[in-house]
Amino acid sequence: MLGKISAFDVRECQFVVGRQQEIALFSRFLDNRMSGGGIWNLYGTGGVGKSTLLQVYRLLAHQQGACYLLLDSRDFSHTGHDLLKALYMQMKGVPPESDPQSLLEIVLDEIQELARDRKVILALDTFEEMSGLEAWLRDRFFKWLPEQMLVLIAGRQPLKGPWLHSPVWRERIVRMPVEHLNREAAFDYLRRCGVTEEERMVRMWHHSMGHPLALSLTVATQWAPDQTLREDGMNWFDDIAALWLKEVPHKDLRRIVEAASVLRQFNQEMLSYLLEEDINASLFESLTALSFVQPSERGWKMHDVMREATCGLLRERMPKLYRSLMERCAFYYAEAILHKSRKADVSWEVVELFYYVEDYSLRAMKHMAAREKYYWEPLTDSTIMDAEAYVRDRLRTRKSTSLKKIDPESGLEIQIDLSAQESTYMIQDIDLAAFYKMDSRSVQLLRSEEGQAVAIAVLVPLHSGTIPRLSHDPVFGPFLANLAPSDRKALETPPDRPAGWFIRSLDYGDPTDPTYIAEGMKLTNAYMCSRGILVISPQPVEAVKQVFLSLGFEQVPGASHCHYDGTTPTPYFIIDTREDGLRDFLVRLLSQSGMNWSPSEEASSPKSGQESRWTSWNLTAREQQVAELVVEGHSNPEIAHRLQVSEMTVKKHMSGILGKAGVKNRVQLIRRIIGQA
């Protein structure tokens, strides 16, 4: 099931320059001229060539008969379970249905088997987006891999914090900074691209400063009729983007490029939906043939530098079109959440949706937030002491706080005043070890780039294993007692399918820091579309209440507790996305951002609508599977991979589906299924 190497891949690697040392080191590993495996940490700025180097390694591994597993952070939702599923898909195909621990054992056994007779390499690209997985990777996964296996970690920053605290991890990590190209390497690249004039090479080297992507785009501009190198002092990447857009052969492709820049990942169907027209295969192939459009597990993606620059130019030149495309992106993901949520995990779609939709309170916090990188890290056995130390320090240093922020777009003001006692209500008397033991998913720490714990969240999954214990919790117990017996029984689901989540604590080291609050909001957003309930009982302060009401929560009537100060009745707030609740919540969410969205009938009632559709179309069971995967955006080769059939078989099924549905192509099929025809 491992990826094949094409002649195109081989030719691409022949343009790689300035990486002789890194390539020689990897060759030594493949040739058994160095002992053991370990972790190689490749790091450097965006566009510097980390992903390209991983592709060179992939080619070399293939030539030596080694097993090379490559995962990009955008190819899976950032949980250990989803990472394991993505790995298993590369090794064997569709993973078996199993709980996280069982799948972990299955994947480890499969890797051990592969490592018996050949080299095995695991490469993780854009690792900066996997920060919340670092503790899981260290404590649950990497330490059990074969000793001779090599792990490649590529990201914008070097591994820090806990990776360096342990002498065992320190001795296994090899730091490999990926630098800009020096003059000699840059000139070598330019010659390979056919640029031989000394003066022109000096000019290109000077303006690109040796940044590989900038240098590559500079070469691409030399054939444009009106191409001129810009003067110093201008934004080089934006300038390159403007030049590149002029080189697109025709306006139709340029329009597709601009639309693709608004999407973080895309495929042909998504672009057709976004632009409300059929994008033919030829035009889409022209887009994917561009050098900075790269394949991903979920379709295609533009390189981050080019995407951000192109998107910025579109926003400045055509703000109305930009706003329209942003709305269509939000509508696409909202429809996808409604359509898929009853039968599949939609955490990835939710993350994408919230990229396009923000309520004013979150927007205000994000506007004031710092640009430093923070990440939520699930608690593990080795980090419990960190969490407990955080709580002790917060209680010791608590003080009154006052937070006042302004939304830059609407001008709405947020002001929250808390006494010293109120600021720590949600962590006083909390037993983190008990919640962790109850369900290991319950506690998460927000960490800075340096590894410092700056906030904590206790989000307890509601299921048959936690409900009996939560009935004795002084905060959640009264909520359960207020439920009718049938409503309480409905929460006692199997542990692998929680009925919802209870936010027992959401506490920030500095309650006035908008960065921490914005990160907390983003975390809770991920649980808002789970087709379950999300419950919280925050500080009994009117301003806090209004924040949660603005986020789409509703106050639970007739239920309260007095645990925080012993006297003040404190209410509960809930988001219930079961049944039609998810549809109503998404409508409110988009409406708060000024987007008037009317979900299709099929998406609003996916179960009954889908069953009636399959019945009316007379699809076979296998045709239904293929149709569902088409809706999710998978190509024919991906569908064949998932169903473990040939691509020819998938094409035959597609022909049958199109005929029964009365449509001519995949785009029309997608539109009809999600109600857009």
Side-chain angles (χ1 to χ4, degrees), residues 1-2 29-30 32 61-62 64-69 91 110-121 146 148-149:
M1 311 300 290
L2 303 179
F29 168 78
L30 293 176
N32 294 310
H62 178 79
Q64 293 290 329
C67 172
Y68 193 86
L69 306 169
M91 293 186 293
E110 185 62 31
I111 290 174
Q112 290 282 359
E113 186 63 28
L114 286 171
R116 291 183 189 280
D117 58 0
R118 55 176 164 163
K119 295 283 188 179
V120 178
I121 302 98
Q148 70 274 23
M149 182 174 172

PDB file of all heavy atoms in Angstrom, residues 1-2 29-30 32 61-62 64-69 91 110-121 146 148-149:
ATOM      1  N   MET A   1       0.811  -1.201   0.000  1.00  0.00           N
ATOM      2  CA  MET A   1       0.000   0.000   0.000  1.00  0.00           C
ATOM      3  C   MET A   1       0.856   1.268   0.000  1.00  0.00           C
ATOM      4  O   MET A   1       0.365   2.370   0.056  1.00  0.00           O
ATOM      5  CB  MET A   1      -0.927   0.027   1.231  1.00  0.00           C
ATOM      6  CG  MET A   1      -1.705  -1.263   1.452  1.00  0.00           C
ATOM      7  SD  MET A   1      -2.780  -1.683   0.066  1.00  0.00           S
ATOM      8  CE  MET A   1      -4.014  -0.404   0.224  1.00  0.00           C
ATOM      9  N   LEU A   2       2.186   1.100   0.039  1.00  0.00           N
ATOM     10  CA  LEU A   2       3.073   2.247   0.146  1.00  0.00           C
ATOM     11  C   LEU A   2       3.154   2.979  -1.192  1.00  0.00           C
ATOM     12  O   LEU A   2       3.006   2.396  -2.264  1.00  0.00           O
ATOM     13  CB  LEU A   2       4.461   1.792   0.589  1.00  0.00           C
ATOM     14  CG  LEU A   2       4.486   1.030   1.916  1.00  0.00           C
ATOM     15  CD1 LEU A   2       5.909   0.618   2.249  1.00  0.00           C
ATOM     16  CD2 LEU A   2       3.895   1.854   3.033  1.00  0.00           C
ATOM     17  N   PHE A  29      22.648   6.065   6.579  1.00  0.00           N
ATOM     18  CA  PHE A  29      21.667   5.295   7.359  1.00  0.00           C
ATOM     19  C   PHE A  29      21.128   4.129   6.532  1.00  0.00           C
ATOM     20  O   PHE A  29      21.028   2.999   7.018  1.00  0.00           O
ATOM     21  CB  PHE A  29      20.522   6.203   7.810  1.00  0.00           C
ATOM     22  CG  PHE A  29      19.331   5.462   8.356  1.00  0.00           C
ATOM     23  CD1 PHE A  29      19.352   4.952   9.642  1.00  0.00           C
ATOM     24  CD2 PHE A  29      18.203   5.250   7.581  1.00  0.00           C
ATOM     25  CE1 PHE A  29      18.262   4.254  10.154  1.00  0.00           C
ATOM     26  CE2 PHE A  29      17.116   4.559   8.080  1.00  0.00           C
ATOM     27  CZ  PHE A  29      17.143   4.061   9.365  1.00  0.00           C
ATOM     28  N   LEU A  30      20.778   4.392   5.281  1.00  0.00           N
ATOM     29  CA  LEU A  30      20.225   3.336   4.431  1.00  0.00           C
ATOM     30  C   LEU A  30      21.244   2.233   4.146  1.00  0.00           C
ATOM     31  O   LEU A  30      20.873   1.064   4.018  1.00  0.00           O
ATOM     32  CB  LEU A  30      19.733   3.936   3.109  1.00  0.00           C
ATOM     33  CG  LEU A  30      18.517   4.881   3.185  1.00  0.00           C
ATOM     34  CD1 LEU A  30      18.225   5.465   1.810  1.00  0.00           C
ATOM     35  CD2 LEU A  30      17.284   4.144   3.719  1.00  0.00           C
ATOM     36  N   ASN A  32      23.521   1.144   6.124  1.00  0.00           N
ATOM     37  CA  ASN A  32      23.987   0.510   7.374  1.00  0.00           C
ATOM     38  C   ASN A  32      25.391   0.961   7.770  1.00  0.00           C
ATOM     39  O   ASN A  32      26.130   0.227   8.424  1.00  0.00           O
ATOM     40  CB  ASN A  32      23.957  -1.017   7.263  1.00  0.00           C
ATOM     41  CG  ASN A  32      22.549  -1.551   7.125  1.00  0.00           C
ATOM     42  OD1 ASN A  32      21.670  -1.191   7.902  1.00  0.00           O
ATOM     43  ND2 ASN A  32      22.333  -2.397   6.120  1.00  0.00           N
ATOM     44  N   ALA A  61      14.960   6.135  -0.207  1.00  0.00           N
ATOM     45  CA  ALA A  61      14.460   4.968   0.526  1.00  0.00           C
ATOM     46  C   ALA A  61      13.843   3.957  -0.433  1.00  0.00           C
ATOM     47  O   ALA A  61      14.052   2.742  -0.322  1.00  0.00           O
ATOM     48  CB  ALA A  61      13.449   5.404   1.574  1.00  0.00           C
ATOM     49  N   HIS A  62      13.073   4.473  -1.394  1.00  0.00           N
ATOM     50  CA  HIS A  62      12.444   3.587  -2.382  1.00  0.00           C
ATOM     51  C   HIS A  62      13.501   2.844  -3.194  1.00  0.00           C
ATOM     52  O   HIS A  62      13.366   1.631  -3.439  1.00  0.00           O
ATOM     53  CB  HIS A  62      11.553   4.417  -3.304  1.00  0.00           C
ATOM     54  CG  HIS A  62      10.881   3.620  -4.388  1.00  0.00           C
ATOM     55  ND1 HIS A  62       9.767   2.853  -4.163  1.00  0.00           N
ATOM     56  CD2 HIS A  62      11.195   3.475  -5.704  1.00  0.00           C
ATOM     57  CE1 HIS A  62       9.418   2.265  -5.302  1.00  0.00           C
ATOM     58  NE2 HIS A  62      10.262   2.630  -6.248  1.00  0.00           N
ATOM     59  N   GLN A  64      16.381   1.948  -2.271  1.00  0.00           N
ATOM     60  CA  GLN A  64      17.063   0.964  -1.424  1.00  0.00           C
ATOM     61  C   GLN A  64      16.110  -0.102  -0.881  1.00  0.00           C
ATOM     62  O   GLN A  64      16.514  -0.950  -0.090  1.00  0.00           O
ATOM     63  CB  GLN A  64      17.738   1.681  -0.247  1.00  0.00           C
ATOM     64  CG  GLN A  64      18.884   2.588  -0.640  1.00  0.00           C
ATOM     65  CD  GLN A  64      20.093   1.795  -1.124  1.00  0.00           C
ATOM     66  OE1 GLN A  64      20.335   0.683  -0.677  1.00  0.00           O
ATOM     67  NE2 GLN A  64      20.841   2.359  -2.058  1.00  0.00           N
ATOM     68  N   GLY A  65      14.823  -0.040  -1.276  1.00  0.00           N
ATOM     69  CA  GLY A  65      13.862  -1.032  -0.810  1.00  0.00           C
ATOM     70  C   GLY A  65      13.417  -0.833   0.629  1.00  0.00           C
ATOM     71  O   GLY A  65      12.922  -1.770   1.267  1.00  0.00           O
ATOM     72  N   ALA A  66      13.596   0.385   1.160  1.00  0.00           N
ATOM     73  CA  ALA A  66      13.182   0.675   2.527  1.00  0.00           C
ATOM     74  C   ALA A  66      11.711   1.065   2.559  1.00  0.00           C
ATOM     75  O   ALA A  66      11.120   1.437   1.537  1.00  0.00           O
ATOM     76  CB  ALA A  66      14.042   1.793   3.114  1.00  0.00           C
ATOM     77  N   CYS A  67      11.122   0.969   3.740  1.00  0.00           N
ATOM     78  CA  CYS A  67       9.726   1.375   3.942  1.00  0.00           C
ATOM     79  C   CYS A  67       9.705   2.815   4.417  1.00  0.00           C
ATOM     80  O   CYS A  67      10.267   3.130   5.476  1.00  0.00           O
ATOM     81  CB  CYS A  67       9.057   0.466   4.970  1.00  0.00           C
ATOM     82  SG  CYS A  67       7.410   1.021   5.459  1.00  0.00           S
ATOM     83  N   TYR A  68       9.086   3.705   3.654  1.00  0.00           N
ATOM     84  CA  TYR A  68       9.076   5.137   3.976  1.00  0.00           C
ATOM     85  C   TYR A  68       7.631   5.586   4.176  1.00  0.00           C
ATOM     86  O   TYR A  68       6.815   5.558   3.251  1.00  0.00           O
ATOM     87  CB  TYR A  68       9.721   5.922   2.841  1.00  0.00           C
ATOM     88  CG  TYR A  68      10.044   7.364   3.173  1.00  0.00           C
ATOM     89  CD1 TYR A  68      11.247   7.704   3.785  1.00  0.00           C
ATOM     90  CD2 TYR A  68       9.149   8.377   2.871  1.00  0.00           C
ATOM     91  CE1 TYR A  68      11.560   9.025   4.082  1.00  0.00           C
ATOM     92  CE2 TYR A  68       9.442   9.707   3.163  1.00  0.00           C
ATOM     93  CZ  TYR A  68      10.656  10.016   3.776  1.00  0.00           C
ATOM     94  OH  TYR A  68      10.954  11.318   4.067  1.00  0.00           O
ATOM     95  N   LEU A  69       7.291   5.980   5.391  1.00  0.00           N
ATOM     96  CA  LEU A  69       5.949   6.421   5.749  1.00  0.00           C
ATOM     97  C   LEU A  69       5.986   7.931   5.961  1.00  0.00           C
ATOM     98  O   LEU A  69       6.730   8.419   6.804  1.00  0.00           O
ATOM     99  CB  LEU A  69       5.467   5.723   7.022  1.00  0.00           C
ATOM    100  CG  LEU A  69       5.528   4.192   7.004  1.00  0.00           C
ATOM    101  CD1 LEU A  69       5.296   3.638   8.399  1.00  0.00           C
ATOM    102  CD2 LEU A  69       4.507   3.630   6.019  1.00  0.00           C
ATOM    103  N   MET A  91       0.291   1.590   5.331  1.00  0.00           N
ATOM    104  CA  MET A  91       0.943   0.283   5.398  1.00  0.00           C
ATOM    105  C   MET A  91       0.084  -0.845   4.837  1.00  0.00           C
ATOM    106  O   MET A  91       0.568  -1.691   4.093  1.00  0.00           O
ATOM    107  CB  MET A  91       1.318  -0.032   6.854  1.00  0.00           C
ATOM    108  CG  MET A  91       2.391   0.881   7.433  1.00  0.00           C
ATOM    109  SD  MET A  91       2.941   0.367   9.087  1.00  0.00           S
ATOM    110  CE  MET A  91       1.465   0.654  10.052  1.00  0.00           C
ATOM    111  N   GLU A 110       2.622  -4.079  13.376  1.00  0.00           N
ATOM    112  CA  GLU A 110       2.851  -4.032  11.931  1.00  0.00           C
ATOM    113  C   GLU A 110       4.206  -3.405  11.619  1.00  0.00           C
ATOM    114  O   GLU A 110       4.942  -3.882  10.742  1.00  0.00           O
ATOM    115  CB  GLU A 110       1.734  -3.234  11.258  1.00  0.00           C
ATOM    116  CG  GLU A 110       1.797  -3.219   9.738  1.00  0.00           C
ATOM    117  CD  GLU A 110       1.666  -4.608   9.133  1.00  0.00           C
ATOM    118  OE1 GLU A 110       0.986  -5.459   9.729  1.00  0.00           O
ATOM    119  OE2 GLU A 110       2.274  -4.840   8.066  1.00  0.00           O
ATOM    120  N   ILE A 111       4.567  -2.356  12.352  1.00  0.00           N
ATOM    121  CA  ILE A 111       5.863  -1.715  12.151  1.00  0.00           C
ATOM    122  C   ILE A 111       6.997  -2.663  12.528  1.00  0.00           C
ATOM    123  O   ILE A 111       8.018  -2.755  11.833  1.00  0.00           O
ATOM    124  CB  ILE A 111       5.945  -0.405  12.959  1.00  0.00           C
ATOM    125  CG1 ILE A 111       5.005   0.642  12.350  1.00  0.00           C
ATOM    126  CG2 ILE A 111       7.369   0.134  12.988  1.00  0.00           C
ATOM    127  CD1 ILE A 111       4.909   1.925  13.154  1.00  0.00           C
ATOM    128  N   GLN A 112       6.820  -3.391  13.642  1.00  0.00           N
ATOM    129  CA  GLN A 112       7.832  -4.370  14.055  1.00  0.00           C
ATOM    130  C   GLN A 112       8.031  -5.423  12.975  1.00  0.00           C
ATOM    131  O   GLN A 112       9.165  -5.826  12.672  1.00  0.00           O
ATOM    132  CB  GLN A 112       7.400  -5.046  15.364  1.00  0.00           C
ATOM    133  CG  GLN A 112       7.447  -4.158  16.589  1.00  0.00           C
ATOM    134  CD  GLN A 112       8.845  -3.968  17.140  1.00  0.00           C
ATOM    135  OE1 GLN A 112       9.808  -4.524  16.609  1.00  0.00           O
ATOM    136  NE2 GLN A 112       8.972  -3.179  18.194  1.00  0.00           N
ATOM    137  N   GLU A 113       6.942  -5.849  12.361  1.00  0.00           N
ATOM    138  CA  GLU A 113       7.030  -6.858  11.305  1.00  0.00           C
ATOM    139  C   GLU A 113       7.773  -6.311  10.092  1.00  0.00           C
ATOM    140  O   GLU A 113       8.620  -6.993   9.496  1.00  0.00           O
ATOM    141  CB  GLU A 113       5.626  -7.313  10.905  1.00  0.00           C
ATOM    142  CG  GLU A 113       5.580  -8.469   9.913  1.00  0.00           C
ATOM    143  CD  GLU A 113       6.202  -9.735  10.470  1.00  0.00           C
ATOM    144  OE1 GLU A 113       6.186  -9.938  11.702  1.00  0.00           O
ATOM    145  OE2 GLU A 113       6.730 -10.529   9.656  1.00  0.00           O
ATOM    146  N   LEU A 114       7.463  -5.050   9.702  1.00  0.00           N
ATOM    147  CA  LEU A 114       8.143  -4.433   8.567  1.00  0.00           C
ATOM    148  C   LEU A 114       9.635  -4.288   8.832  1.00  0.00           C
ATOM    149  O   LEU A 114      10.463  -4.437   7.931  1.00  0.00           O
ATOM    150  CB  LEU A 114       7.537  -3.055   8.286  1.00  0.00           C
ATOM    151  CG  LEU A 114       6.158  -3.014   7.627  1.00  0.00           C
ATOM    152  CD1 LEU A 114       5.615  -1.589   7.635  1.00  0.00           C
ATOM    153  CD2 LEU A 114       6.224  -3.539   6.195  1.00  0.00           C
ATOM    154  N   ALA A 115       9.984  -3.979  10.086  1.00  0.00           N
ATOM    155  CA  ALA A 115      11.378  -3.703  10.432  1.00  0.00           C
ATOM    156  C   ALA A 115      12.238  -4.962  10.538  1.00  0.00           C
ATOM    157  O   ALA A 115      13.451  -4.859  10.705  1.00  0.00           O
ATOM    158  CB  ALA A 115      11.438  -2.932  11.756  1.00  0.00           C
ATOM    159  N   ARG A 116      11.625  -6.132  10.426  1.00  0.00           N
ATOM    160  CA  ARG A 116      12.398  -7.372  10.543  1.00  0.00           C
ATOM    161  C   ARG A 116      13.389  -7.546   9.402  1.00  0.00           C
ATOM    162  O   ARG A 116      14.485  -8.082   9.594  1.00  0.00           O
ATOM    163  CB  ARG A 116      11.457  -8.578  10.606  1.00  0.00           C
ATOM    164  CG  ARG A 116      10.634  -8.670  11.881  1.00  0.00           C
ATOM    165  CD  ARG A 116       9.794  -9.930  11.880  1.00  0.00           C
ATOM    166  NE  ARG A 116       8.837  -9.935  12.977  1.00  0.00           N
ATOM    167  CZ  ARG A 116       9.125 -10.256  14.230  1.00  0.00           C
ATOM    168  NH1 ARG A 116      10.355 -10.627  14.538  1.00  0.00           N
ATOM    169  NH2 ARG A 116       8.196 -10.235  15.169  1.00  0.00           N
ATOM    170  N   ASP A 117      12.973  -7.106   8.203  1.00  0.00           N
ATOM    171  CA  ASP A 117      13.830  -7.398   7.057  1.00  0.00           C
ATOM    172  C   ASP A 117      14.191  -6.174   6.218  1.00  0.00           C
ATOM    173  O   ASP A 117      14.764  -6.296   5.138  1.00  0.00           O
ATOM    174  CB  ASP A 117      13.151  -8.449   6.153  1.00  0.00           C
ATOM    175  CG  ASP A 117      11.784  -7.999   5.670  1.00  0.00           C
ATOM    176  OD1 ASP A 117      11.357  -6.884   6.030  1.00  0.00           O
ATOM    177  OD2 ASP A 117      11.145  -8.770   4.941  1.00  0.00           O
ATOM    178  N   ARG A 118      13.847  -4.968   6.689  1.00  0.00           N
ATOM    179  CA  ARG A 118      14.241  -3.790   5.936  1.00  0.00           C
ATOM    180  C   ARG A 118      14.188  -2.549   6.824  1.00  0.00           C
ATOM    181  O   ARG A 118      13.622  -2.560   7.911  1.00  0.00           O
ATOM    182  CB  ARG A 118      13.342  -3.582   4.715  1.00  0.00           C
ATOM    183  CG  ARG A 118      11.852  -3.507   5.002  1.00  0.00           C
ATOM    184  CD  ARG A 118      11.111  -3.194   3.724  1.00  0.00           C
ATOM    185  NE  ARG A 118       9.692  -3.455   3.814  1.00  0.00           N
ATOM    186  CZ  ARG A 118       8.800  -2.966   2.960  1.00  0.00           C
ATOM    187  NH1 ARG A 118       9.199  -2.214   1.954  1.00  0.00           N
ATOM    188  NH2 ARG A 118       7.523  -3.256   3.076  1.00  0.00           N
ATOM    189  N   LYS A 119      14.775  -1.474   6.318  1.00  0.00           N
ATOM    190  CA  LYS A 119      14.765  -0.206   7.027  1.00  0.00           C
ATOM    191  C   LYS A 119      13.350   0.384   7.011  1.00  0.00           C
ATOM    192  O   LYS A 119      12.641   0.290   6.006  1.00  0.00           O
ATOM    193  CB  LYS A 119      15.720   0.786   6.367  1.00  0.00           C
ATOM    194  CG  LYS A 119      17.193   0.379   6.426  1.00  0.00           C
ATOM    195  CD  LYS A 119      17.760   0.651   7.814  1.00  0.00           C
ATOM    196  CE  LYS A 119      19.259   0.428   7.826  1.00  0.00           C
ATOM    197  NZ  LYS A 119      19.835   0.703   9.161  1.00  0.00           N
ATOM    198  N   VAL A 120      12.978   1.003   8.126  1.00  0.00           N
ATOM    199  CA  VAL A 120      11.679   1.665   8.214  1.00  0.00           C
ATOM    200  C   VAL A 120      11.902   3.111   8.652  1.00  0.00           C
ATOM    201  O   VAL A 120      12.613   3.367   9.630  1.00  0.00           O
ATOM    202  CB  VAL A 120      10.734   0.958   9.206  1.00  0.00           C
ATOM    203  CG1 VAL A 120       9.405   1.708   9.303  1.00  0.00           C
ATOM    204  CG2 VAL A 120      10.496  -0.485   8.791  1.00  0.00           C
ATOM    205  N   ILE A 121      11.308   4.036   7.910  1.00  0.00           N
ATOM    206  CA  ILE A 121      11.440   5.456   8.207  1.00  0.00           C
ATOM    207  C   ILE A 121      10.041   6.053   8.336  1.00  0.00           C
ATOM    208  O   ILE A 121       9.177   5.834   7.475  1.00  0.00           O
ATOM    209  CB  ILE A 121      12.213   6.206   7.104  1.00  0.00           C
ATOM    210  CG1 ILE A 121      13.603   5.612   6.909  1.00  0.00           C
ATOM    211  CG2 ILE A 121      12.303   7.690   7.431  1.00  0.00           C
ATOM    212  CD1 ILE A 121      13.698   4.636   5.748  1.00  0.00           C
ATOM    213  N   PRO A 146      10.657   0.255  16.994  1.00  0.00           N
ATOM    214  CA  PRO A 146      11.912  -0.499  16.923  1.00  0.00           C
ATOM    215  C   PRO A 146      13.112   0.436  17.071  1.00  0.00           C
ATOM    216  O   PRO A 146      13.124   1.536  16.526  1.00  0.00           O
ATOM    217  CB  PRO A 146      11.866  -1.135  15.520  1.00  0.00           C
ATOM    218  CG  PRO A 146      10.419  -1.188  15.175  1.00  0.00           C
ATOM    219  CD  PRO A 146       9.796   0.016  15.817  1.00  0.00           C
ATOM    220  N   GLN A 148      15.993   0.421  15.824  1.00  0.00           N
ATOM    221  CA  GLN A 148      16.722   0.733  14.594  1.00  0.00           C
ATOM    222  C   GLN A 148      15.906   1.598  13.629  1.00  0.00           C
ATOM    223  O   GLN A 148      16.400   1.972  12.560  1.00  0.00           O
ATOM    224  CB  GLN A 148      17.135  -0.556  13.888  1.00  0.00           C
ATOM    225  CG  GLN A 148      15.982  -1.357  13.264  1.00  0.00           C
ATOM    226  CD  GLN A 148      15.318  -2.305  14.258  1.00  0.00           C
ATOM    227  OE1 GLN A 148      15.391  -2.091  15.470  1.00  0.00           O
ATOM    228  NE2 GLN A 148      14.689  -3.355  13.759  1.00  0.00           N
ATOM    229  N   MET A 149      14.682   1.958  13.994  1.00  0.00           N
ATOM    230  CA  MET A 149      13.819   2.745  13.112  1.00  0.00           C
ATOM    231  C   MET A 149      14.196   4.227  13.184  1.00  0.00           C
ATOM    232  O   MET A 149      14.569   4.748  14.231  1.00  0.00           O
ATOM    233  CB  MET A 149      12.359   2.565  13.522  1.00  0.00           C
ATOM    234  CG  MET A 149      11.353   3.307  12.650  1.00  0.00           C
ATOM    235  SD  MET A 149       9.668   2.867  13.139  1.00  0.00           S
ATOM    236  CE  MET A 149       8.717   4.032  12.161  1.00  0.00           C
TER     237      MET A 149
END
